[in-house]
Amino acid sequence: LGLGLAAVACLTVVVSALLTRTRTLQAQLEQSSEDSATLSELFSSELERLRVQLSQTQEDSDSLDEILGSILKGGLPGHLEMTSKDYWCVKTMEVSYTDQEGERRNWRQSGYHVNCFVPGGARDIEVTFGVVGGAECKQVDRSKPDFPYIYDETGRMKLEKFTYERCPGNVRYELRGPSLATFVSHVTEVPASSLQAPVGVRGKPLLLSHRACGNHGACDGRTLGDS
């Protein structure tokens, strides 16, 4: 009887130990499963982040290829800048042009300082100005200090419109006046051929020729450089 009780006690201890070991292994398996799920989620998140980065890189690369292709095919883009010399009203610049594929494009933006970049190779560029809630800019005689309006044969004021057969280099338009009488007071153009001037003696850039435009696109030659 004593030996039987001892055997039962030993068997009980062994079974208890096995149950404890089983529970421990089960807990470890559950923990491993949770860790595996967490690791899988982490890898999925990291892979998604890498996929988004690769997609963004591809988009940037495509955009850069498009820009470089435009430059190689048509040259450097043109820069049209409108600046308001007062704050009577919010001015608007409108630009239309034909791109390299022959499509007519239109661009419009309002503000006190507006920039428009015309793709290289664009042609038949037209630039007009107006006022938000106001009138279109009419043509004035910029050679006279009081900027009188210019009229056509019927006595009507002419619309101020700047046209360029090919993409210009850098053109700056200065506007003044209230909403019903805004006008272009000064225009300065830097031709595309002068935008990348070579370096002269002692590292100083050579002079850049530009044109200060008056009426009807007529320009007088001037020079940009050291005074």
Side-chain angles (χ1 to χ4, degrees):
L1 182 60
L3 290 175
L5 292 175
V8 171
C10 290
L11 184 60
T12 302
V13 171
V14 171
V15 171
S16 177
L18 290 175
L19 289 174
T20 302
R21 179 61 177 169
T22 301
R23 294 191 187 95
T24 302
L25 291 175
Q26 184 178 3
Q28 289 178 348
L29 287 174
E30 291 177 354
Q31 184 63 42
S32 297
S33 178
E34 293 178 1
D35 293 343
S36 177
T38 302
L39 187 60
S40 176
E41 182 179 353
L42 179 62
F43 272 116
S44 298
S45 176
E46 186 66 17
L47 288 174
E48 178 64 20
R49 187 180 67 84
L50 291 175
R51 188 190 66 79
V52 171
Q53 287 183 346
L54 288 174
S55 177
Q56 183 64 42
T57 301
Q58 182 64 38
E59 291 178 1
D60 293 342
S61 177
D62 293 342
S63 177
L64 181 60
D65 289 342
E66 183 178 353
I67 293 174
L68 291 177
S70 175
I71 292 176
L72 291 175
K73 184 177 180 180
L76 293 172
H79 177 210
L80 306 177
E81 176 188 6
M82 179 200 78
T83 180
S84 177
K85 303 303 289 184
D86 56 47
Y87 296 94
W88 286 103
C89 54
V90 179
K91 279 77 170 177
T92 298
M93 178 165 66
E94 297 187 39
V95 181
S96 61
Y97 60 90
T98 302
D99 62 17
Q100 298 179 23
E101 285 71 34
E103 295 290 332
R104 194 65 181 171
R105 304 291 184 179
N106 297 290
W107 179 96
R108 176 191 177 101
Q109 189 170 337
S110 302
Y112 295 109
H113 192 176
V114 173
N115 292 280
C116 175
F117 291 91
V118 181
R123 64 182 186 276
D124 301 328
I125 298 101
E126 295 183 354
V127 185
T128 57
F129 301 93
V131 174
V132 175
E136 297 175 316
C137 285
K138 303 300 183 181
Q139 194 175 114
V140 298
D141 187 349
R142 282 179 285 278
S143 66
K144 298 180 179 179
D146 55 346
F147 300 105
Y149 285 111
I150 297 177
Y151 298 88
D152 60 16
E153 296 80 3
T154 63
R156 295 182 177 180
M157 291 184 292
K158 292 184 177 181
L159 177 67
E160 185 75 274
K161 179 186 294 185
F162 298 87
T163 59
Y164 307 90
E165 182 179 354
R166 294 295 177 183
C167 186
N170 190 321
V171 186
R172 176 186 172 92
Y173 309 93
E174 296 181 2
L175 276 65
R176 302 173 185 269
S179 60
L180 298 179
T182 293
F183 62 94
V184 181
S185 61
H186 188 73
V187 182
T188 304
E189 178 181 352
V190 180
S193 59
S194 301
L195 291 180
Q196 294 182 340
V199 176
V201 181
R202 297 181 182 177
K204 296 177 63 177
L206 298 180
L207 299 180
L208 301 179
S209 62
H210 81 290
R211 295 180 293 170
C213 301
N215 300 305
H216 310 290
C219 304
D220 59 304
R222 297 185 183 179
T223 304
L224 286 176
D226 296 334
S227 58

